[in-house]
Amino acid sequence: MTDAVTDADADADADADADADAIFRATLPVEVTTREESPASIGACGYAAALAEGIEATLPAWVMKSVTRIMTAWAGTVPPSVAEKAVEAGQRAAAEVGPRVRDLLATDIDEQWTTPLTILRQLAVRYPTNVLRAAGVAPVQRDRAAEELFPDDLYDLVPARLADLDDDLADAGLRWGAAKAFEHKRRHGAGQ
């Protein structure tokens, strides 16, 4: 009886995996569902490119929004000179961090060394931080864990999720993550 139950459970799991694969494949563009080799990661289906473009396009506004939020809380307003520096910093962030994200997402999934969010946490936060520091804004009080994890994040700007940069990035990140997970499962099986 135990063998029969085990075989039935295994068959049910295989059927559930097949159903999930079929549902996910139905949402993918045709070139991914018909390609056997799925070259160079998920970039072939456009999710990686869409996420990279979204992040790069969002960085200038995120830097400005971050500077505005902290500066307004500290001084009540954003002086024009600080706003100008925030615009410049946002453009630099897009020009310098955007290509790093794009390079990561263009890399084969088995060779990706980190995530887009990690790159943003490590690199993008310095742009609004530098503007605020140059304006003389005092660092904000953060909890101990945040101080230990992100010691250079003086103004508590590190995004917890992509949607912290822009709400539209949540969907782009979810699509890319699902496509990446699907490709990983296709290549390596469900157990890895």
Side-chain angles (χ1 to χ4, degrees):
M1 182 74 171
T2 306
D3 289 339
V5 170
T6 303
D7 289 344
D9 289 343
D11 288 345
D13 287 346
D15 288 345
D17 284 347
D19 290 345
D21 286 350
I23 291 167
F24 184 74
R25 280 188 180 276
T27 68
L28 292 175
V30 174
E31 65 265 17
V32 172
T33 60
T34 59
R35 251 193 196 121
E36 195 59 39
E37 71 282 357
S38 190
S41 86
I42 306 308
C45 69
Y47 293 131
L51 180 57
E53 289 169 14
I55 289 171
E56 193 169 341
T58 299
L59 280 169
W62 176 77
V63 169
M64 182 57 135
K65 180 173 65 173
S66 298
V67 169
T68 300
R69 180 173 54 87
I70 300 298
M71 190 75 204
T72 302
W74 187 70
T77 187
V78 180
S81 62
V82 173
E84 184 178 310
K85 292 202 184 312
V87 169
E88 293 168 4
Q91 292 168 346
R92 278 194 317 277
E96 295 170 9
V97 178
R100 297 284 298 268
V101 171
R102 198 175 291 282
D103 288 348
L104 169 71
L105 294 175
T107 303
D108 183 82
I109 64 165
D110 289 333
E111 303 299 320
Q112 290 180 358
W113 60 95
T114 191
T115 68
L117 187 56
T118 300
I119 290 174
L120 293 168
R121 288 173 174 165
Q122 292 173 346
L123 301 179
V125 170
R126 69 179 165 192
Y127 296 92
T129 296
N130 289 342
V131 172
L132 293 163
R133 187 182 306 147
V137 176
V140 301
Q141 185 173 3
R142 300 180 297 144
D143 65 45
R144 186 172 159 201
E147 288 176 354
E148 289 174 7
L149 288 170
F150 307 106
D152 297 329
D153 182 22
L154 305 177
Y155 303 102
D156 202 24
L157 302 173
V158 166
R161 55 201 175 100
L162 290 171
D164 289 345
L165 272 72
D166 185 271
D167 288 339
D168 291 340
L169 290 179
D171 187 53
L174 183 62
R175 288 178 184 273
W176 168 76
K180 181 178 177 179
F182 177 80
E183 178 61 15
H184 187 274
K185 182 179 177 185
R186 187 190 71 73
R187 289 181 186 184
H188 303 289
Q192 297 184 3

